[in-house]
């Protein structure tokens, strides 16, 4: 089986490294010649090119490891170059956006399996690619009415081979709803927490693990995340509101010196967080 | 030098372990006989007792490793038992509360050096005590007008010996202001984030490192943290408001599809977080 990876960044590079351990031919595509050079030199891919048209006709599975808009542009430009029966997958964190734009390209020749590997790092680029980020991580597939069970199962198998712990299937709008909570809201919070620093003190002298943990993701790639936020606006706004309502409950308890209510909210979060495996 | 540690929990146990590597006699006090037994058996302390009055008269330095109210009660009960010129320190995370209540006990016989080791874990109890939690961690001393430079320097030396990276001195109200931000606000956020889960999905299948990082501290000791929140109410309420204002800026940018503003907020948080060492 020949597997193509479009975009050898942090995630694409990690896909390549993780799949290279199996008897697949890994073909890397990137617009940056030096990235292809690095990937070949470090034995991350078997074949590399900056010209996808040269190789797409030969690939059984192609992973688009690109930002949302770039993934759409790639398909618009290259849809006619794919091999017959090729399976195309992606890594985009907002699924309705992508499916709305790409499902029209579904035809007898190619099949899209839309997916979201929930993994990342603050660093970008192939040099930081590392299979460890997939271990213990979640992988989500959002099937559409066009999908065959065979194609879904193949992507699930590849995800498991890459080291993902859980692979689940869920509707695109459900994905976007829960991801607005687990991923986009957490980033919105981290950004706002850091930005609310008054800069009156030398903050670094007064932080512990809690601040470090809550602000790690405040160092954020603004091009990617503004795309993700804007393309999941409806769900993210609802999740921010729900979070603020909870914070207001806590604020009111505090203002009213209501220790019993504060303790109840803390017991609730302890229980709820403990229930998540 | 004989050093007493009152309360052999996670922090007290770690103080004992960290100081035991130096030629000090470590005397542990706890209300729980089995904890004293465990600490003696595991060579964490040299001497142990459930009856502080038996040993306090012999100790040069005493660390109160107790919750805020318990620290106050201990001093009220035992102030006359301390050795002449003893130095008493503490680990309480809200300093105005403690100083308001204990500064009246300052006299020619004992000196209080109020301090806050910014370190912890979700687990409680001596069995989880571990010197690693002090490495790379911050230690804050809040001097009062009664303090001698000798006593402040002694506690600073002991903190450095325990492995703390930075030891700083700051006024009690400044401590409470910045700690409301770096510690109490982060816990308030984590609690509210977890409690805002709609429970519509199997959340564990859709989380990544960001959710794990932001919610670790949502598993929280409600007796300790409700005390800390309530005794720093004024500063914490102000910090929650400032955070909500920032979150609202982001929410407005999102609602208005203002990508430039979203990216500006993200660049700001990236820069601010990167500047904190």
């Amino acid at each position: 089986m020949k597997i193509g990876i479009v975009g050898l960044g942090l995630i694409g590079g990690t896909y390549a490294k993780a799949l290279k351990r199996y008897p697949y031919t890994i073909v890397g595509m990137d617009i940056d010649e030096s990235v292809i050079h690095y990937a070949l030199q470090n034995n991350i891919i078997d074949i590399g090119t900056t010209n996808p048209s040269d190789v797409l006709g030969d690939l059984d599975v192609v992973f688009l490891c690109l930002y949302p808009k770039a993934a759409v542009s790639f398909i618009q430009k290259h849809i006619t170059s794919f091999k017959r029966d090729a399976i195309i997958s992606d890594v985009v964190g907002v699924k309705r956006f992508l499916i709305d734009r790409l499902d029209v390209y579904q035809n007898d020749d190619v099949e899209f399996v839309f997916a979201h590997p929930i993994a990342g790092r603050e660093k970008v680029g192939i040099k930081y690619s590392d299979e460890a980020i997939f271990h213990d991580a979640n992988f989500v597939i959002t099937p559409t009415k066009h999908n065959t069970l065979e194609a879904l199962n193949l992507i699930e198998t590849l995800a498991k081979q890459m080291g993902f712990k859980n692979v689940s299937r869920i509707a695109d709008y459900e994905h976007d709803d829960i991801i607005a909570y687990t991923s986009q809201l957490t980033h919105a919070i981290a950004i706002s927490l850091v930005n609310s620093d008054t800069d009156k003190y030398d903050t670094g002298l007064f932080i512990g693990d809690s601040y470090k943990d809550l602000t790690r993701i405040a160092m954020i790639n603004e091009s990617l995340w503004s795309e993700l936020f804007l393309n999941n606006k409806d769900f993210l706004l609802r999740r921010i509101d729900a979070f603020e309502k909870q914070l207001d409950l806590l604020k009111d308890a505090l203002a009213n010196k209501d220790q019993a209510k504060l303790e109840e909210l803390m017991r609730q979060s302890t229980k709820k967080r403990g229930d998540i495996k």
Side-chain angles (χ1 to χ4, degrees), chain A residues 176-193 225 228-230 232-249:
Chain A
D176 287 2
D177 183 9
I178 184 68
I179 285 296
Y181 171 63
T182 58
S183 174
Q184 289 150 14
L185 174 60
T186 52
H187 284 78
I189 286 171
I191 293 162
S192 305
L193 174 58
W225 283 90
L228 295 173
F229 277 26
L230 288 167
N232 207 19
K233 185 166 81 74
D234 50 353
F235 281 125
L236 179 52
L237 284 173
R238 261 178 265 168
R239 293 294 187 160
I240 294 175
D241 283 340
F243 165 73
E244 286 185 328
K245 276 204 186 91
Q246 281 295 328
L247 192 54
D248 286 339
L249 282 182

Side-chain angles (χ1 to χ4, degrees), chain A residues 3-17:
Chain A
I3 298 179
I5 294 167
V6 182
L8 294 171
L10 175 80
I11 296 297
T14 305
Y15 266 58
K17 283 181 180 173

Side-chain angles (χ1 to χ4, degrees), chain A residues 257-272:
Chain A
K257 298 184 194 176
D258 186 345
Q259 182 158 7
K261 180 67 184 173
L262 278 178
E263 292 191 359
E264 183 198 318
L265 292 170
M266 291 175 185
R267 272 193 303 272
Q268 187 189 343
S269 69
T270 300
K271 165 92 174 64
K272 278 173 86 88

